[in-house]
Amino acid sequence: MHYSPSKLLTALLETKPRPTRDAPRNMRGLYGLVDHRGDLRYIGSTSSADQNLYERIHSRHRTGSEGMSHYFSQMYNTGRMWRDRKDPTTKTDGNIAKKLRNAFIADHCSAVWLPLPDSIDISLLESEVLAIAPKNAIAWNRRGTPVYDEPIELVNITLQRLGWREHEFSALKRQRERFLVQFPTATDILTQQISVKRKDRINPFPQGPFRFFALDVETANNNRGSICQIGVACVRPDHSIETWMTYVDPQTDMWVWSSLHGISAKTVQGAPTFAEVLPVLNTVLRDHVVYQHSGFDRSAILAAYTQNSCSAPMWQWRDSVGVARSAWPALKANGGYGLANLKPFLGLEFNHHDAAEDARAAAEVVLRAEDALSIRSLHCSSRDEAPTPPQSNEALFSPLEKTTQQYVSTPQASRHIGKTLITQGNINNTHIYLKDFFDKFPDNAIGGSNRSSVAPKQITVDWGGTDTVLTDLDSTKKLFRKRGWVKEFFEQNNIKVGDMVSVEEIAPYYYRVAVCSD
C-alpha cells in the first residue's frame, strides 16, 4: 500500500489533538506534538522498531530529560518548571520542578498520531513529510525555536490540581530564581504580572499623627504565619479612627478558614507577600503602641516575621482585652471580653472576621474604656507630639497601663472560669463538660460539631501533664474537642464520680484544668 506524504501531512494537520496519555501502546507510526496553545509544533516518528507511539509521545517527549531529543521536556524547561539535570546540588528542587513540568504537559499539551504498519519504512516517510511541512508545524524540530516563557496561569492551574504544600512551592520558587540567573535575558512574566498587581494592591497608609494603633489579622490556615489579611486602625488625637487594610498572599494552597472570613486564594491573587508589606508596617508602627484584642494577632505577626527570617518588630504591643477588664469588671461573669460579647454591650458596629473591621472594633474598645475610666492614655512615641493628660487622671492612668501590660506578659494573672462535676459518663467517654460556663470562652475558639468545622483560633490547655494541649471547643457537645489527654488526666488525679474539676484562664487563650481542692 502506498502512503502519500502530502496526505499524511494533511491528516496530521487536521486530526483533532488528544491527551498524550491516549497514544496507542501497541502501534508505531507518525505523530505530532501540540503545544499549550493548541498549535502543532513538532513532527516525528517511531523510527525504532522497539518503540510504540505511547512510549515515544507520553514517556519520552513528556518525561524524558531536557537537553536531549525530548521536545516537550525541552520546550517547557522554563520558569518554575526549570531544572539543570547535571547539577547535583539542586537535584532535590530540580526533581520537584521536573515533576511539575510532567504534570503541566499532561494537563495542557496534546498530540496527534497516525498508526502505520511495521512493514513500511516509517523513517523515510517521516523525512518526506518534514520536507513539505509548513515551518510553523515543525518549529521545534532540530531546536528551531527557544523555550517558551512560563505559561503562568496554566502552571497555576496544574499546581492547584496537584495540591502541593509549602516545601514544594519553596522549591519551585528557588528553581525559578536559578533559571533567571542562568538565563538573565529570559522574560520574567511571573515577576512582571505580580509586581504590577501588587503595586496596585498595596494601599497607601494614612498620614499621622496618631495616638495609637490597633491591629488584626486573618490567616489562611492553622499556621499562624499564614496571614492573608491585615487591618490597622489608626487613632488620631481627636479620637477619630482611620483604617488601613491589605490582603496578603500567604503563598500557600491550604485554605482552611475561607468559610469563616471569605478570603480565598482567588482573593489574594496578586496581593503583596508579607515580606513586601513589612516595610510599610515597620515604617508606621515602629516604637508606637499597637493594640491587639487577645494574643493571637501578635503571635501571628511574630510567626510571619520568623518565616521571613526577620527579627521581631519593635512595636509596643498591648492588649485591648486587658483594658476592657479594667473598665468593665462585671463582664467577667457576664459573657467575657471577646469582641462578639463587647459588640452588643458597647453598641459597636462591625463585621467580625474582617481584619480592618476587627481592628477598628479593638480601637473603639480602648477609647470606650478610656471614657469609662475617665482617663486619657499616653499612646504616643517620640515622633509624635504627646497630648497633655489632665493632672487629676494621673493616678488612674498608671494602674490601667500596669494592668494591661501585666495581663499580656504575666501568665500567672489568672481568673476562675468555672467548675464542673465529673459524672460516670465523663469517665466512660473521657471528656469534661463545660456547658455551665461555656460562654466564658472566646467566641473565635468555638467551632462546630465535627473536625471539618474547627474554630479559627485555638486555646492552650495546661492539665498538669508533660505537654499542654492545643484545641478548640465543640459548640454542640460543649467540650474540649481534643480529648486524648483527658483519660491520662483522670488517671493521674485518681478522678472519681462526684469529683469537681476547675478551669482557670491564666492568659488569653491559655487555660489550666485542675482538680478542685475543696
Side-chain angles (χ1 to χ4, degrees):
M1 181 177 180
H2 176 69
Y3 289 89
S4 165
S6 61
K7 290 183 178 180
L8 291 173
L9 175 61
T10 299
L12 285 171
L13 294 173
E14 295 181 353
T15 297
K16 182 179 179 180
R18 297 172 60 182
T20 60
R21 58 181 167 271
D22 291 347
R25 297 171 182 262
N26 57 352
M27 296 181 182
R28 297 174 59 221
L30 298 180
Y31 62 86
L33 304 183
V34 179
D35 69 6
H36 64 285
R37 299 169 182 150
D39 296 325
L40 180 65
R41 292 303 188 194
Y42 176 88
I43 294 176
S45 71
T46 55
S47 55
S48 173
D50 61 354
Q51 282 188 348
N52 57 52
L53 288 166
Y54 178 89
E55 181 184 358
R56 188 65 191 157
I57 297 170
H58 190 72
S59 297
R60 296 296 182 90
H61 281 297
R62 185 182 70 92
T63 66
S65 295
E66 63 284 345
M68 303 178 69
S69 58
H70 306 134
Y71 282 90
F72 275 140
S73 287
Q74 174 64 25
M75 297 308 297
Y76 293 100
N77 189 34
T78 181
R80 289 174 287 179
M81 299 183 287
W82 181 82
R83 73 163 182 173
D84 181 354
R85 62 186 178 87
K86 296 181 179 180
D87 184 358
T89 64
T90 61
K91 179 178 173 59
T92 300
D93 288 352
N95 287 345
I96 293 173
K98 181 66 164 62
K99 185 176 179 180
L100 171 62
R101 189 199 314 158
N102 293 346
F104 168 86
I105 295 167
D107 285 349
H108 305 293
C109 299
S110 54
V112 295
W113 50 84
L114 300 175
L116 297 171
D118 292 341
S119 58
I120 66 171
D121 190 340
I122 294 177
S123 294
L124 177 61
L125 276 178
E126 176 191 5
S127 62
E128 292 175 341
V129 168
L130 290 174
I132 61 174
K135 290 184 178 180
N136 65 301
I138 54 173
W140 292 359
N141 288 66
R142 298 183 177 86
R143 311 280 179 85
T145 57
V147 299
Y148 285 109
D149 291 328
E150 181 186 338
I152 304 299
E153 298 300 330
L154 296 180
V155 172
N156 289 342
I157 290 172
T158 294
L159 284 170
Q160 186 175 13
R161 178 183 66 81
L162 292 173
W164 282 358
R165 299 293 184 259
E166 296 295 341
H167 79 278
E168 286 103 345
F169 279 91
S170 297
L172 298 178
K173 180 180 179 182
R174 290 190 291 268
Q175 285 304 103
R176 172 178 156 272
E177 292 170 349
R178 290 164 181 150
F179 169 75
L180 294 173
V181 170
Q182 189 76 13
F183 302 96
T185 60
T187 304
D188 188 10
I189 297 176
L190 183 61
T191 295
Q192 292 175 1
Q193 288 185 358
I194 292 176
S195 62
V196 170
K197 292 178 181 178
R198 286 178 178 165
K199 183 178 180 181
D200 294 338
R201 295 290 292 273
I202 300 180
N203 302 318
F205 210 92
Q207 296 297 309
F210 300 111
R211 291 179 56 217
F212 65 91
F213 300 91
L215 178 144
D216 187 88
V217 304
E218 300 294 336
T219 60
N221 54 55
N222 290 323
N223 173 11
R224 294 197 175 195
S226 65
I227 294 174
C228 59
Q229 187 189 32
I230 301 174
V232 180
C234 314
V235 181
R236 299 187 183 278
D238 63 358
H239 289 197
S240 63
I241 302 174
E242 189 169 353
T243 57
W244 175 87
M245 187 280 290
T246 184
Y247 290 110
V248 179
D249 182 359
Q251 298 182 304
T252 181
D253 61 345
M254 296 178 62
W255 289 86
V256 177
W257 306 126
S258 294
S259 60
L260 182 74
H261 48 54
I263 303 169
S264 65
K266 184 177 180 180
T267 309
V268 303
Q269 185 176 5
T273 63
F274 186 80
E276 290 169 316
V277 176
L278 278 179
V280 176
L281 295 177
N282 281 333
T283 298
V284 179
L285 303 182
R286 183 182 176 88
D287 298 326
H288 280 78
V289 166
V290 181
Y291 275 98
Q292 58 175 337
H293 199 78
S294 81
F296 178 83
D297 304 287
R298 180 185 185 184
S299 66
I301 290 290
L302 294 179
Y305 265 78
T306 300
Q307 289 175 192
N308 285 275
S309 301
C310 299
S311 56
M314 298 181 67
W315 309 344
Q316 299 177 39
W317 285 102
R318 298 191 187 160
D319 191 348
S320 52
V321 171
V323 177
R325 289 182 190 281
S326 297
W328 306 290
L331 286 178
K332 178 179 179 180
N334 190 26
Y337 299 92
L339 285 179
N341 191 53
L342 289 172
K343 182 176 183 178
F345 177 75
L346 297 177
L348 304 177
E349 296 183 2
F350 64 96
N351 296 320
H352 205 9
H353 300 303
D354 176 279
E357 295 271 313
D358 285 347
R360 174 182 283 274
E364 289 188 358
V365 167
V366 176
L367 292 174
R368 301 288 185 89
E370 289 181 346
D371 290 340
L373 294 168
S374 302
I375 67 169
R376 283 290 305 276
S377 305
L378 290 177
H379 302 108
C380 56
S381 71
S382 58
R383 293 182 294 173
D384 292 333
E385 182 179 351
T388 303
Q391 293 183 354
S392 59
N393 292 328
E394 184 175 354
L396 283 173
F397 170 72
S398 297
L400 172 61
E401 293 293 273
K402 183 177 180 181
T403 301
T404 303
Q405 294 202 34
Q406 182 185 25
Y407 185 79
V408 175
S409 61
T410 310
Q412 287 75 20
S414 62
R415 72 180 182 109
H416 183 255
I417 295 294
K419 296 180 181 179
T420 183
L421 178 69
I422 298 301
T423 67
Q424 188 62 52
N426 294 145
I427 295 176
N428 293 343
N429 298 289
T430 60
H431 55 52
I432 298 172
Y433 290 131
L434 308 172
K435 56 187 178 182
D436 290 341
F437 46 90
F438 199 70
D439 58 352
K440 303 291 182 63
F441 294 99
D443 291 342
N444 56 4
I446 299 174
S449 60
N450 54 60
R451 292 184 179 180
S452 64
S453 56
V454 295
K457 298 186 181 180
Q458 296 186 315
I459 63 173
T460 299
V461 178
D462 181 352
W463 56 277
T466 55
D467 297 312
T468 57
V469 176
L470 194 63
T471 182
D472 69 327
L473 299 122
D474 185 322
S475 61
T476 302
K477 301 182 180 68
K478 303 292 192 298
L479 307 168
F480 296 113
R481 188 182 305 281
K482 292 184 180 178
R483 305 181 336 209
W485 57 277
V486 176
K487 181 178 180 181
E488 188 173 349
F489 171 75
F490 285 168
E491 293 175 349
Q492 179 175 299
N493 292 280
N494 194 27
I495 296 290
K496 300 181 294 296
V497 174
D499 285 344
M500 298 292 292
V501 170
S502 68
V503 179
E504 289 181 286
E505 182 185 45
I506 57 178
Y509 296 87
Y510 200 106
Y511 296 84
R512 179 186 294 121
V513 177
V515 181
C516 294
S517 56
D518 52 359

